[in-house]
């Protein structure tokens, strides 16, 4: 398994950002310098082709001071990788990157690539899988079926890890506030901890001014409750 290559994608941008940040910290440490960490950042002037080119150059540049981490984080063009027959400049550059990975990234280089929308059928993902890279695909919970119960469980775990006692009314409210944006759980819990950590029990009234609702989630909650003929939940969703 090629533990020095990490690929992070999916459709949950917040989770991708968090996972990328954790991967960089684990690889390079908290106080990395320019010799041990090279971040290939997007800018107003950069193009996807240039970013991939810079990434390849950095990987191919020897590390003179121990292990070097090379990261192209949270890039917004992974979904533009073309099919095998695509001869556009960007697709060709993706193929060069895939070949680099297949040929082998030096052992003293840790390569991290992240961003939403990667197609698992395309060359980059296949190359990473072929060499046994660490691949994470982080997807939003779909707003259907038992999604609320999944979110509630995650909320209760996050609260318990901070020593917070959430009442059922608080968990219900937060599930509707956050919806399927599970990346919001940690930031919301941090706000709640700062504001309510001294309370023995935290209810809906303690949170309604701290955590702001999610309009799209409220619509689905209203629709689901109305469809199930649950009058109290329908009124709550409207409120």
């Amino acid at each position: 398994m090629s533990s020095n290559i990490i690929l992070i994608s999916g459709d949950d941008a917040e989770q991708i950002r968090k996972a990328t940040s954790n991967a960089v910290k684990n690889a390079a440490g908290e106080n990395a310098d320019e010799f041990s960490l090279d971040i290939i950042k997007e800018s107003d002037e950069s193009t996807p082709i240039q970013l991939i080119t810079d990434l390849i150059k950095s990987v191919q540049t020897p590390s003179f001071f121990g292990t070097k981490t090379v990261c192209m984080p949270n890039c917004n063009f992974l979904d533009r990788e073309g099919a095998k027959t695509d001869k556009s400049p960007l697709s060709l550059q993706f193929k060069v990157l895939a070949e680099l990975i297949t040929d082998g990234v030096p052992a003293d280089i840790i390569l991290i690539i992240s961003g939403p929308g990667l197609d698992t059928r395309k060359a980059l993902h296949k190359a990473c899988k072929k060499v046994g890279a660490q691949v994470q695909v982080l997807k939003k919970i779909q707003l259907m079926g038992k999604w609320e119960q999944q979110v509630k469980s995650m909320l209760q775990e996050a609260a318990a890890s901070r020593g917070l006692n959430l009442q059922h009314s608080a968990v219900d409210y937060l599930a509707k506030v956050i919806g399927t944006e599970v990346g919001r759980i940690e930031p919301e819990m941090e706000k709640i901890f700062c504001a309510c950590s001294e309370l023995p029990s935290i209810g809906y009234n303690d949170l309604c001014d701290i955590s702001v609702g999610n309009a799209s989630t409220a619509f689905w909650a209203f629709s689901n409750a109305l469809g199930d003929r649950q009058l109290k939940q329908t009124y709550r969703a409207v409120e």
Side-chain angles (χ1 to χ4, degrees), residues 15-29:
Q15 283 200 81
I16 291 170
R17 279 192 290 270
K18 182 178 178 181
T20 303
S21 177
N22 289 338
V24 171
K25 287 179 182 178
N26 291 336

Side-chain angles (χ1 to χ4, degrees), residues 143-144 147 215-225:
L143 199 61
M144 58 191 297
W147 69 272
S216 62
T217 305
F219 170 78
W220 278 97
F222 171 81
S223 301
N224 290 342

Side-chain angles (χ1 to χ4, degrees), residues 70-86:
V70 181
C71 180
M72 185 170 69
N74 310 313
C75 45
N76 61 7
F77 55 84
L78 294 184
D79 58 348
R80 293 170 58 186
E81 180 181 5
K84 187 175 182 179
T85 55
D86 190 342

Side-chain angles (χ1 to χ4, degrees), residues 6-165:
I6 301 172
L7 178 64
I8 305 170
S9 191
D11 61 10
D12 193 321
E14 187 60 36
Q15 283 200 81
I16 291 170
R17 279 192 290 270
K18 182 178 178 181
T20 303
S21 177
N22 289 338
V24 171
K25 287 179 182 178
N26 291 336
E30 293 282 353
N31 301 307
D33 56 32
E34 60 183 311
F35 299 106
S36 60
L37 176 61
D38 187 8
I39 302 290
I40 311 300
K41 294 181 179 179
E42 292 186 79
S43 68
D44 293 337
E45 294 78 27
S46 64
T47 65
I49 293 176
Q50 185 60 52
L51 289 169
I52 296 176
T53 300
D54 292 344
L55 180 72
I56 292 170
K57 288 180 179 178
S58 184
V59 171
Q60 293 175 330
T61 302
S63 173
F64 298 105
F65 301 95
T67 301
K68 179 176 74 171
T69 299
V70 181
C71 180
M72 185 170 69
N74 310 313
C75 45
N76 61 7
F77 55 84
L78 294 184
D79 58 348
R80 293 170 58 186
E81 180 181 5
K84 187 175 182 179
T85 55
D86 190 342
K87 302 300 183 184
S88 66
L90 179 57
S91 288
L92 291 175
Q93 197 66 350
F94 267 114
K95 289 182 175 66
V96 173
L97 176 59
E99 289 172 1
L100 173 71
I101 291 171
T102 301
D103 291 341
V105 171
D108 58 354
I109 300 290
I110 297 176
L111 174 60
I112 302 173
I113 301 172
S114 76
L118 181 72
D119 192 332
T120 58
R121 300 168 297 178
K122 303 293 175 59
L124 178 57
H125 181 267
K126 286 183 176 180
C128 289
K129 293 293 285 185
K130 183 177 180 179
V131 300
Q134 301 176 52
V135 178
Q136 298 182 52
V137 179
L138 305 173
K139 294 188 176 182
K140 291 181 180 179
I141 298 174
Q142 295 300 310
L143 199 61
M144 58 191 297
K146 301 294 184 181
W147 69 272
E148 274 192 286
Q149 191 54 51
Q150 296 177 62
V151 172
K152 288 177 182 178
S153 296
M154 297 171 72
L155 285 165
Q156 289 166 334
E157 289 178 9
S161 70
R162 292 169 171 80
L164 300 175
N165 180 21

